[in-house]
Amino acid sequence: TDEPVCFPQTRGQSVKRLNSNIGDLGVEGRNVILLDDIIDTGGTIFNAYDCLKERGAKSIAVYASHLLLNREAVSRIRESGIKVFGTDTVYHDPEKIADADITRLPVSYIVAEVIKRQYLGVTTRDLREVDGVLKSCFGGARKGIDEF
């Protein structure tokens, strides 16, 4: 199938459990998306990356809410070729991440939109869906989503 397969991650997930989860879904020749809340040192995503590569994943992208990127995380991302997408909630020197495949997505638009709607008494229901956020805050652009 051409559909990507997604794996939500949990901090410190054991390699044994991760291998079991990945083995059950079959990733050979497929695009894989890893979902994580925080990338700190990158340990969890690189354990997953290794498992996925061993099982023949075609490509691997990571979407995370917050990119702490401590220690060697940026150099590991750079060397691995993983595509990483995350919010700009944590500042990083642009020079530090310039040559790594890291796309930072701004959150100020969505926060401003929620505040405005709350003030006006307008629903935020459509902002709970990806397309609603993209339409309201980014003019419909699906940057990072359609690229994969």
Side-chain angles (χ1 to χ4, degrees), residues 117-133:
R117 289 183 184 201
Q118 289 294 311
Y119 177 77
L120 297 173
V122 177
T123 184
T124 58
R125 183 174 308 243
D126 65 317
L127 297 179
R128 295 180 191 154
E129 299 296 324
V130 170
D131 287 328
V133 171

Side-chain angles (χ1 to χ4, degrees), residues 50-146:
D50 291 342
C51 292
L52 292 164
K53 277 301 194 186
E54 288 173 10
R55 287 177 168 67
K58 180 178 170 184
S59 66
I60 301 165
V62 179
Y63 288 78
S65 298
H66 308 286
L67 303 175
L68 300 182
L69 304 178
N70 290 313
R71 298 190 202 146
E72 301 299 317
V74 174
S75 62
R76 291 177 77 186
I77 290 167
R78 187 180 297 118
E79 293 165 9
S80 70
I82 293 177
K83 292 182 179 193
V84 175
F85 300 89
T87 66
D88 63 353
T89 56
V90 177
Y91 175 79
H92 294 286
D93 180 349
E95 290 181 20
K96 177 184 173 186
I97 63 172
D99 58 344
D101 198 352
I102 299 171
T103 301
R104 297 176 68 229
L105 306 169
V107 297
S108 57
Y109 301 110
I110 187 72
V111 171
E113 185 68 19
V114 168
I115 291 169
K116 178 181 87 175
R117 289 183 184 201
Q118 289 294 311
Y119 177 77
L120 297 173
V122 177
T123 184
T124 58
R125 183 174 308 243
D126 65 317
L127 297 179
R128 295 180 191 154
E129 299 296 324
V130 170
D131 287 328
V133 171
L134 295 170
K135 182 178 177 187
S136 297
C137 302
F138 301 103
R142 294 178 61 93
K143 182 177 180 171
I145 295 171
D146 288 336

Side-chain angles (χ1 to χ4, degrees), residues 5-22:
V5 63
C6 291
F7 291 101
Q9 295 297 296
T10 57
R11 187 166 304 282
Q13 185 174 31
S14 74
V15 174
K16 184 177 180 181
R17 182 171 159 218
L18 184 64
N19 276 320
S20 173
N21 291 344
I22 291 171

